Amino acid sequence: MIAHFSQIATIFLMVAGLYVVIARGNMVKKLIGLSLFQTSVYLLYILPGKLLGGTAPILDAGHAVYANPLPHVLILTAIVVGIATLALGLTLVVRIKEAYGTIEEDEIIAKDMPKARSTPARGAKSA
Amino acid sequence: MIAPHLPILLIVVPLLGAVLAALSRHPFAAWAIALLASAATAAIAIALLFRVQAEGVISYRIGGWAPELGIEYRVDAFNAFIVVLVGIVAVVTMLYARRSVVAEIIPERIAWFYTMMLLCIAGLLGIAVTGDAFNAFIFLEISSLATYTLIALGRDRRALVAAYQYLIVGTIGATFYVIGVGLIYLSTGTLNLGLIVERLAGTEGSRALIVAEAFIAVGICLKLALFPLHAWLPNAYAYAPSAATTLLASTATKVALYLLARFLFTVFGGHVDVGQIPIGSILIVLSVAAMFIPSAAAIFQNDVKRILAFSSVGQIGYITLGLALANPTGLTGGLLHLFNHALMKGAAFMAIGAIVFRAGTAKLDELSGIGRTMPWTTAALTIAGLGLIGVPGTSGFVSKYYLILGALEAGLGWLAILIVASSVLAVLYVGRIVEVVWFREPAAAARASREAPLELLVPMWILAGATIWFGLDAEWPAGLAAAAANSLLGVAP
């Protein structure tokens, strides 16, 4: 169980992030969930790359065992991609707030559908 | 001197163009740079196609590193086909963009619009030529981030929400893809697609690989909007600026389809089911559902852009059906439909863009009789619509014919009947458009508009003309598609 602790943590983050994306209507919270989800992937790559007793990959006479640097490099790139996505997402949320005055998904949908709102049956259901 | 570096130039040229367009800050200069860069890209793509046809697979090692250490770009008959398609569509879209963008986007943002178009093209071409699974993810995100921005540049405030929703769904899709790639990397120790194939042979039946395949397939299917993962697409296409919609509808989903085919066939060997997942059968079921349900939804839309967007989801079903059949004829049909659909949908979205340009609306009930005042535009829309139905004489017929032959070859006669039956739905939604725009009394919007300017008509008719030309003489695209299908089904990656 303890041996698999890192994998369990990764999977927990993955599922938790995805859950937040699906379950929350607040657009900023959705983005937080998305970031959590992406972060879990960083762990998925980095954790198996760690070698107990290994050093950084530097050519040195004193060290023979070193960890694979490739996962770190890949994830560095993925982090940059994640930052870009988050930044763009937050920018869109700012623009949406300016255009709609709210960042709650259900309110935005209601604002764009005046017909659906005026129908009493629909309104009763959503309330 | 340049010739050996063509694969990398394919990406460097639009990237450099994007930087220049952003620096220029001037609407016309940015357009000229974008046109030049995409024309150069298309020329490089065609040169690559000829080289592949003459010499076989091109392998390009970035920085001279061996595939085990560095990134390898690999161009075979399948990539070259996709790259040429993206290149040609990019040039035609740029020709179209100048007038349409001036009408739809605030002047200060025009230069940024072209920057994003070029970044999107660079990303799409990158996905197509790279032979490295993680590199494909980076390019996927480059093109996706550019796409979200392009959609958000639309005039309507709903464009922002559409872009946001696409960002959420697209990022989940891309992250699923990386999870899958990570699991493959853990099992094989390499990211190079060719090396993965070699090393997978030793790790057959591993559970990690089944999970990896599931993650990758679902992730890419989100990007290519396979039914029922298509929810982001109709809004994104409907509210993006016309030029952006044309580019996205013709290329973005097609490149995602390429990536799916690449993984299903060369990496996992789609004709042999990996482990417990009968992926071919699942794909057939989803494709058939895509052929019927979104097409039926298209019939009930009022916005012409949304009709065409739902029809895109439906047409993607035919392409994935070709992949699922996995025999040479069916796969040729699927890939040919990928090519033809890019041209037809490009023409259709350009036509409706021109109608929006003149009449200011894409709502079907306001467009009655627009065919009398904008005959050429409406004719192009009609031809594209006939192609979507698959009327003989248009390219849509040829690809559906191949698909039906492929279904019969696979012993699935009922599937051939379903392909024909689903075309009836296309008849309904195209028929609705045709009836309103040609046979009704002109409404206010139609009376107020006149024929679209030549700058919009020429690129539109290049694509509409290609729809007819490749319907009458399908030898060239069918040859390319057959070569691509053979390279996919062949043993060598």
Side-chain angles (χ1 to χ4, degrees):
Chain A
M1 194 68 181
I2 294 169
H4 294 294
F5 178 72
S6 61
Q7 280 96 325
I8 291 168
T10 309
I11 292 167
F12 175 76
L13 276 181
M14 212 176 265
V15 179
L18 207 52
Y19 173 76
V20 173
V21 176
I22 295 164
R24 297 292 154 194
N26 184 305
M27 288 184 155
V28 174
K29 287 184 185 169
K30 264 186 195 288
L31 286 175
I32 294 172
L34 202 62
S35 284
L36 210 57
F37 180 50
Q38 287 181 307
T39 310
S40 73
V41 181
Y42 308 160
L43 287 176
L44 178 79
Y45 274 73
I46 297 254
L47 287 172
K50 171 70 186 160
L51 202 60
L52 288 176
T55 63
I58 300 166
L59 277 183
D60 180 49
H63 303 288
V65 183
Y66 58 88
N68 185 354
L70 189 63
H72 300 78
V73 180
L74 295 178
I75 288 315
L76 201 59
T77 324
I79 289 172
V80 175
V81 170
I83 292 171
T85 314
L86 185 63
L88 183 61
L90 289 172
T91 319
L92 283 172
V93 173
V94 171
R95 291 278 312 277
I96 288 170
K97 171 85 177 166
E98 284 170 6
Y100 287 87
T102 175
I103 53 167
E104 294 292 332
E105 215 160 44
D106 44 350
E107 291 175 25
I108 288 167
I109 293 168
K111 281 195 175 187
D112 271 337
M113 288 191 159
K115 271 180 261 163
R117 232 183 177 186
S118 59
T119 330
R122 279 270 186 91
K125 246 183 214 169
S126 66
Chain B
M1 188 196 119
I2 294 178
H5 296 294
L6 283 180
I8 188 73
L9 279 174
L10 197 63
I11 292 134
V12 170
V13 169
L15 270 182
L16 201 66
V19 174
L20 289 177
L23 288 176
S24 77
R25 293 287 191 101
H26 184 275
F28 183 79
W31 173 73
I33 292 166
L35 184 65
L36 271 178
S38 40
T41 312
I44 295 170
I46 291 167
L48 270 176
L49 178 70
F50 285 135
R51 262 189 65 189
V52 169
Q53 281 175 340
E55 303 165 24
V57 179
I58 302 173
S59 164
Y60 180 84
R61 295 170 175 192
I62 291 189
W65 295 97
E68 289 84 359
L69 293 172
I71 292 168
E72 184 199 19
Y73 282 8
R74 207 177 171 83
V75 190
D76 59 17
F78 186 26
N79 304 30
F81 172 65
I82 299 288
V83 163
V84 167
L85 175 68
V86 175
I88 291 173
V89 170
V91 176
V92 180
T93 314
M94 288 304 173
L95 280 175
Y96 176 86
R98 199 180 79 83
R99 281 298 283 270
S100 116
V101 162
V102 168
E104 289 182 31
I105 291 177
I106 316 173
E108 303 90 82
R109 294 194 190 138
I110 289 179
W112 299 116
F113 179 84
Y114 289 116
T115 308
M116 289 304 152
M117 291 281 263
L118 286 174
L119 280 178
C120 184
I121 293 165
L124 294 173
L125 291 170
I127 300 171
V129 290
T130 186
D132 185 284
F134 199 84
N135 203 228
F137 161 69
I138 300 300
F139 279 119
L140 188 68
E141 283 293 0
I142 290 177
S143 71
S144 298
L145 287 167
T147 309
Y148 309 146
T149 321
L150 281 175
I151 295 166
L153 281 170
R155 266 283 160 95
D156 197 309
R157 66 176 180 176
R158 276 172 289 186
L160 294 171
V161 183
Y164 177 86
Q165 279 166 345
Y166 184 19
L167 182 137
I168 298 284
V169 173
T171 308
I172 292 176
T175 310
F176 270 32
Y177 173 78
V178 196
I179 294 173
V181 170
L183 292 170
I184 290 182
Y185 178 60
L186 291 178
S187 333
T188 61
T190 177
L191 290 164
N192 184 288
L193 292 178
L195 291 173
I196 288 175
V197 178
E198 280 172 25
R199 296 188 194 175
L200 270 185
T203 55
E204 206 172 337
S206 143
R207 254 192 288 176
L209 288 175
I210 298 174
V211 178
E213 183 178 19
F215 268 115
I216 289 177
V218 174
I220 302 176
C221 285
L222 270 168
K223 297 297 289 187
L224 64 82
L226 179 65
F227 180 87
L229 307 172
H230 68 282
W232 57 269
L233 187 143
N235 283 333
Y237 282 13
Y239 301 124
S242 305
T245 309
T246 310
L247 183 72
L248 298 182
S250 305
T251 57
T253 48
K254 309 295 176 288
V255 171
L257 276 161
Y258 156 81
L259 197 59
L260 180 68
R262 179 61 83 196
F263 267 94
L264 286 187
F265 286 95
T266 52
V267 178
F268 294 110
H271 38 297
V272 191
D273 292 338
V274 169
Q276 302 295 312
I277 316 178
I279 194 134
S281 321
I282 295 174
L283 214 50
I284 287 186
V285 173
L286 291 180
S287 307
V288 171
M291 280 151 50
F292 281 93
I293 300 169
S295 304
I299 300 171
F300 299 104
Q301 301 297 320
N302 186 33
D303 189 302
V304 181
K305 273 188 156 184
R306 284 180 74 90
I307 297 179
L308 294 175
F310 273 105
S311 131
S312 276
V313 183
Q315 302 285 332
I316 285 165
Y318 294 104
I319 305 170
T320 48
L321 185 67
L323 301 185
L325 286 173
N327 58 29
T329 323
L331 194 55
T332 305
L335 298 178
L336 191 59
H337 200 63
L338 185 154
F339 184 82
N340 291 335
H341 181 248
L343 302 181
M344 296 185 289
K345 239 343 135 31
F349 273 118
M350 280 182 179
I352 192 62
I355 289 176
V356 172
F357 180 80
R358 280 299 190 212
T361 176
K363 294 219 161 42
L364 193 55
D365 46 13
E366 294 171 26
L367 290 180
S368 29
I370 196 101
R372 317 239 176 123
T373 45
M374 303 179 72
W376 286 98
T377 309
T378 318
L381 182 63
T382 312
I383 289 171
L386 293 178
L388 292 174
I389 300 172
V391 174
T394 60
S395 55
F397 172 74
V398 183
S399 39
K400 280 188 185 168
Y401 178 70
Y402 270 101
L403 277 175
I404 291 170
L405 284 185
L408 292 175
E409 211 171 274
L412 304 165
W414 52 274
L415 208 53
I417 297 170
L418 285 180
I419 294 173
V420 178
S422 65
S423 301
V424 175
L425 292 170
V427 174
L428 288 177
Y429 63 74
V430 172
R432 238 182 107 221
I433 301 178
V434 169
E435 196 263 327
V436 170
V437 296
W438 286 112
F439 301 116
R440 294 236 179 125
E441 279 307 305
R447 275 198 294 272
S449 53
R450 57 209 159 78
E451 188 50 79
L454 210 58
E455 275 180 283
L456 300 186
L457 278 178
V458 169
M460 186 195 309
W461 272 94
I462 291 176
L463 294 186
T467 303
I468 295 182
W469 179 265
F470 292 140
L472 300 174
D473 178 15
E475 201 185 334
W476 185 70
L480 287 184
N486 287 335
S487 95
L488 272 184
L489 292 170
V491 190

